[in-house]
Amino acid sequence: KIHDLEEQLTHEAEHIISCSRSMSRDMEAIFHIPSRKISIIPNGVETAVFTPNCYPLSREDLVLPHEKIIFFIGRLVPEKGIQVLIEAMPLVIERYPDVKLVISGSGPMQDELIRQSGKLGSKVMFTGFIEDTLRNFILEQADICVFPSLYEPFGIVALEAMQSGTPIVVSDTGGLAEIIDHGVNGYKALPGHTQSLAWHIIDLLLNEHKALSMAVKAKEKAATEYNWKSIAAATHKVYDAVIRLHPNLVRE
């Protein structure tokens, strides 16, 4: 039903705004939409306000003093690839034992993921759904954010991590692949590939200077390319062009 409705809307629309090139290609292939009918404008991210006095937790509530935090936040569903990240953790721990994976979010896979991570004991923490204030706190405290999606039209959580100044590893898929410049402002691992994901996480854990450099560049990119002012201007331009071509659409 959703597929049929989306197809109807894409054909009836005068023009379509897509959040990524990946989504645009999907519409062209699945709904047979000509590329000229699609404009690509990314999602944006609000500038997070980091106010330490407002945080309900401290870092010690999450990890031991000597441990580093690997953070994932998102829906607990198969396409987000959390199962791949949990599978990669033994490889990470083997090379860097002083680390802990913090998983935030809720979804139908929660119980299955908790069972899968049982062998890792205290090296994995599930927080459940968290509000924005706590999300910002963990983003700020995290040493690495990982988003190992198997499918991702855009990946706004990656932007939130980038603007927080935290090093990031994502899967080389969909919209995530368009946000990160591999080896410049983050790493892109092979989708669904446990060893690839583990290697990139380990490299950032072992090379703090490299991780910091990537994080700084990621924060700059989030601020310059994904701010709402530029996105609003691009959206306004699309509407102006459609109105010029179809003036009968404008009503008093």
Side-chain angles (χ1 to χ4, degrees):
K1 182 177 180 180
I2 293 172
H3 173 87
D4 291 343
L5 182 57
E6 288 177 340
E7 183 173 25
Q8 178 186 351
L9 288 168
T10 56
H11 284 279
E12 290 187 4
E14 303 298 336
H15 199 78
I16 301 165
I17 294 175
S18 172
C19 63
S20 65
R21 291 190 297 274
S22 173
M23 180 60 72
S24 177
R25 289 192 295 267
D26 284 349
M27 285 191 287
E28 291 175 39
I30 297 170
F31 298 140
H32 308 292
I33 302 297
S35 59
R36 65 178 181 277
K37 192 178 177 179
I38 305 172
S39 293
I40 300 169
I41 302 176
N43 291 319
V45 62
E46 294 284 357
T47 301
V49 179
F50 295 99
T51 51
N53 292 335
C54 296
Y55 294 145
L57 297 177
S58 67
R59 184 180 175 92
E60 288 70 29
D61 292 313
L62 299 173
V63 293
L64 298 173
H66 60 279
E67 288 182 319
K68 289 190 175 182
I69 298 172
I70 297 172
F71 183 44
F72 168 89
I73 182 170
R75 292 182 298 119
L76 304 187
V77 293
E79 57 265 32
K80 296 298 181 182
I82 316 98
Q83 66 277 16
V84 181
L85 176 54
I86 294 173
E87 187 179 342
M89 282 303 294
L91 298 174
V92 174
I93 294 168
E94 182 180 350
R95 289 292 308 279
Y96 200 98
D98 295 332
V99 71
K100 186 170 186 176
L101 172 60
V102 178
I103 298 173
S104 293
S106 59
M109 277 193 79
Q110 181 169 317
D111 291 342
E112 179 182 341
L113 293 171
I114 291 174
R115 286 194 297 271
Q116 182 188 356
S117 63
K119 60 185 177 182
L120 298 172
S122 62
K123 290 296 184 179
V124 180
M125 171 189 285
F126 288 84
T127 71
F129 176 81
I130 57 176
E131 299 293 342
D132 291 351
T133 300
L134 184 52
R135 175 204 64 196
N136 292 346
F137 168 73
I138 303 179
L139 282 172
E140 189 180 42
Q141 294 296 318
D143 295 280
I144 301 174
C145 285
V146 182
F147 303 107
S149 298
L150 305 178
Y151 171 77
E152 191 67 70
F154 185 75
I156 200 163
V157 289
L159 289 185
E160 292 169 344
M162 290 166 68
Q163 68 141 17
S164 73
T166 304
I168 185 171
V169 178
V170 303
S171 289
D172 189 8
T173 187
L176 285 175
E178 300 170 30
I179 294 173
I180 295 298
D181 305 306
H182 183 69
V184 177
N185 54 23
Y187 272 144
K188 294 190 284 191
L190 298 173
H193 196 293
T194 304
Q195 289 80 10
S196 175
L197 186 62
W199 185 91
H200 289 96
I201 294 171
I202 292 166
D203 189 64
L204 291 181
L205 288 170
L206 294 176
N207 297 280
E208 292 186 13
H209 180 74
K210 180 193 290 187
L212 178 60
S213 174
M214 288 186 184
V216 169
K217 292 172 183 173
K219 189 170 185 176
E220 292 173 352
K221 183 172 184 178
T224 56
E225 297 185 25
Y226 299 98
N227 67 82
W228 283 114
K229 184 175 181 180
S230 61
I231 291 169
T235 305
H236 192 278
K237 186 175 180 180
V238 169
Y239 272 83
D240 276 348
V242 172
I243 289 170
R244 284 196 301 271
L245 288 173
H246 306 279
N248 59 303
L249 294 176
V250 182
R251 299 175 180 174
E252 294 294 335

